[in-house]
């Protein structure tokens, strides 16, 4: 399977710090009119396990009862997602999905059902022998890669130095396959930045250019409402941090994009809204199969927010239930304040931000014309 080659990443409208909700005005209008909509994007993992021990990992704060995501469960989910109108599925969430051997067939099943599919992975267990098969089925493949130098990679990501070299080899193979087959898949690196690791921003940006990926993105680190990971958001404002990020972005050319997520890096870890409206548009499922309105609420201590589990009951059946909508609606009720009761800088943050303006501040939805941005269904 081959497709036409895409333009270089920097020539596209690749939105790495924002949202694409206005490209789905029909779904937004339906929700604003009180209809029960299917999510545009679903973010899921196929396990809660991981081969790495990144010290900044939010997944350690999302512990819940583990259930086995079998092939039958996964296929049923993808069939349901396509039937109800989901447009895209990303394998990220709270686990390293390459641990589950069903990942490759899951990608093929989702693509055959007409869904856009994406994968975020540390890449260590990614089977190089199956890259030819899955790359044509992916909208993007993002490698979680939080250092540009091998020793620092091992220190930051909690693995062996040899892992660095294996993953770099896999990335090079992906780039070679993409170029040889003229594939549309976008290949990227993502760094979760803690201020003390700022020394790795430039080496990583240089590595991305050297291996030939389309982009490198540097993002903030999320924390929970109790500050359990100890992220110092004020440290992002330090001059050396700002300068290093700007220097990395200056490496952008027509073939390669480097982007810092400035709106979140410089947010101080604060939300600008006190009601969460975005979860029906971007929905998350834990690697245990647990459904909660968002990933911040996966932990068993938030059990009152949990909706169900796709291991026990079909995704479509749970989505149709009153309980599904009751849990979403609670997040924008007077009883819930995301500024104090939830972790910060979540996956839904930018969508929450804009829908809050629409609902609470009479923001006028703009008319969108012209070609859609890349990865339009990953909002």
């Amino acid at each position: 399977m081959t497709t036409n080659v895409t333009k270089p990443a920097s020539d596209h409208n690749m939105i790495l710090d924002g949202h694409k909700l206005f490209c789905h005005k029909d779904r937004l209008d339906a929700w604003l009119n009180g209809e029960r909509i299917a999510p545009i994007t679903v973010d899921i993992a196929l396990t809660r396990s991981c081969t790495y021990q990144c010290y900044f990992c939010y997944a350690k704060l999302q512990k819940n009862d583990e259930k086995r995501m079998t092939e039958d469960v996964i296929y049923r989910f993808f069939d349901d997602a396509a039937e109800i109108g989901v447009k895209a599925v990303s394998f990220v969430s709270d686990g390293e999905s390459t641990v589950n051997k069903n990942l490759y067939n899951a990608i093929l099943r989702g693509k055959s059902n007409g869904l856009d599919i994406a994968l975020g992975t540390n890449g260590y267990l990614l089977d190089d022998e199956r890259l030819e098969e899955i790359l044509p089925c992916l909208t993007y493949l993002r490698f979680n890669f939080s250092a540009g130098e091998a020793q620092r990679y091992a220190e930051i990501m909690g693995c062996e130095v040899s892992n660095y070299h294996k993953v770099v080899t896999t990335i090079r193979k992906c780039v070679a396959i993409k170029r040889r087959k003229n594939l549309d898949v976008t290949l990227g690196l993502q760094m979760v930045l803690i201020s003390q690791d700022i020394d790795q921003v430039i080496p990583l940006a240089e590595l991305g250019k050297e291996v030939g990926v389309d982009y490198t993105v540097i993002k903030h680190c999320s924390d929970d409402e109790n500050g359990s990971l100890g992220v110092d958001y004020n440290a992002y404002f330090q001059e050396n941090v700002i300068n290093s990020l700007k220097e990395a972005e200056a490496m952008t050319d027509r073939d390669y994009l480097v982007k810092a997520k400035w709106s979140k890096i410089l947010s101080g870890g604060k939300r600008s809204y006190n009601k969460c409206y975005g979860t029906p548009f971007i929905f998350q499922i834990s690697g245990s199969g647990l459904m909660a309105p968002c990933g911040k609420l996966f932990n068993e201590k938030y059990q009152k927010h949990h909706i169900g589990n796709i291991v026990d009951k079909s995704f479509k059946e749970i989505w149709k239930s009153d309980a599904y909508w009751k849990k979403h609606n609670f997040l924008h009720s007077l009883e819930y304040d995301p500024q104090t009761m939830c972790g910060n800088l979540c996956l839904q943050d930018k969508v929450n931000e804009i829908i809050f303006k629409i609902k609470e501040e009479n923001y006028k939805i703009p008319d969108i014309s012209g070609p859609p941005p890349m990865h339009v269904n990953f909002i």
Side-chain angles (χ1 to χ4, degrees), residues 61 66 169 254 271-272:
L61 308 177
E66 184 79 29
T169 297
R254 70 175 304 276
R271 298 175 186 265
S272 62

Side-chain angles (χ1 to χ4, degrees), residues 143-170:
F143 290 88
N144 301 322
F145 210 99
S146 288
E149 299 169 334
Q151 184 61 49
R152 293 285 282 124
Y153 176 96
E155 294 168 0
I156 292 169
M157 302 190 72
C159 63
E160 301 296 323
V161 171
S162 58
N163 289 36
Y164 171 93
H165 299 292
K166 186 277 174 188
V167 177
V168 169
T169 297
T170 296

Side-chain angles (χ1 to χ4, degrees), residues 1 10 21 23 34 52 60 65 77 105-106 109 120 122 132-133 147 231 235 239 272 275 342 363:
M1 175 181 176
S10 56
L21 183 62
C23 297
Y52 283 22
K60 68 182 70 174
D65 289 339
F77 161 74
N105 288 339
R109 181 68 164 234
N122 61 42
E132 298 260 3
E133 186 179 14
V231 182
E239 186 176 1
S272 62
K275 294 181 180 179
C342 194
Y363 180 88

Side-chain angles (χ1 to χ4, degrees), residues 171 175 179 187-189 208-209 211-216 255-257:
I171 294 170
V175 171
R179 291 175 176 174
L187 304 174
L189 308 180
K209 174 170 283 194
V211 298
V213 295
D214 298 302
Y215 72 89
T216 293
D255 297 314
Y256 178 56
L257 173 66

Side-chain angles (χ1 to χ4, degrees), residues 114-319:
L115 297 163
D116 287 350
I117 307 296
L119 172 62
T121 174
N122 61 42
Y124 180 65
L125 290 182
L126 200 57
D127 185 350
D128 291 358
E129 298 302 315
R130 302 203 69 174
L131 295 176
E132 298 260 3
E133 186 179 14
I134 65 170
L135 284 175
C137 298
L138 293 173
T139 299
Y140 69 81
L141 171 56
R142 189 192 73 215
F143 290 88
N144 301 322
F145 210 99
S146 288
E149 299 169 334
Q151 184 61 49
R152 293 285 282 124
Y153 176 96
E155 294 168 0
I156 292 169
M157 302 190 72
C159 63
E160 301 296 323
V161 171
S162 58
N163 289 36
Y164 171 93
H165 299 292
K166 186 277 174 188
V167 177
V168 169
T169 297
T170 296
I171 294 170
R172 292 186 190 278
K173 289 180 179 179
C174 290
V175 171
I177 292 169
K178 171 179 174 168
R179 291 175 176 174
R180 173 165 47 82
K181 290 193 168 186
N182 289 332
L183 299 179
D184 275 336
V185 60
T186 305
L187 304 174
L189 308 180
Q190 176 177 273
M191 178 184 192
V192 177
L193 175 64
I194 305 291
S195 61
Q196 60 262 34
D197 300 327
I198 192 64
D199 64 297
Q200 289 305 296
V201 167
I202 301 303
L204 180 62
E206 291 173 340
L207 176 67
K209 174 170 283 194
E210 191 269 320
V211 298
V213 295
D214 298 302
Y215 72 89
T216 293
V217 62
I218 303 105
K219 63 171 287 188
H220 59 289
C221 182
S222 294
D223 209 339
D224 69 6
E225 67 273 27
N226 299 315
S228 299
L229 296 178
V231 182
D232 180 3
Y233 290 102
N234 291 326
Y236 286 128
F237 291 88
Q238 295 174 356
E239 186 176 1
N240 68 316
V241 173
I242 301 296
N243 289 343
S244 291
L245 292 173
K246 288 181 177 179
E247 183 180 347
E249 287 192 325
M251 296 183 197
T252 295
D253 59 29
R254 70 175 304 276
D255 297 314
Y256 178 56
L257 173 66
V258 182
K259 177 64 179 176
K261 289 194 173 186
W262 291 109
S263 72
K264 291 189 176 185
I265 289 172
L266 300 181
S267 70
K270 304 296 184 183
R271 298 175 186 265
S272 62
Y273 49 87
N274 58 17
K275 294 181 180 179
C276 286
Y277 288 110
T279 56
F281 298 88
I282 307 179
F283 187 65
Q284 290 180 275
I285 301 177
S286 171
S288 68
L290 173 70
M291 291 174 59
C294 72
K296 299 292 186 184
L297 300 174
F298 285 161
N299 192 290
E300 54 197 14
K301 70 181 180 180
Y302 303 117
Q303 190 172 9
K304 70 178 183 179
H305 297 290
H306 295 173
I307 303 169
N309 194 299
I310 63 171
V311 174
D312 302 323
K313 190 178 290 187
S314 77
F315 175 62
K316 181 173 65 174
E317 188 176 356
I318 298 172
W319 171 75

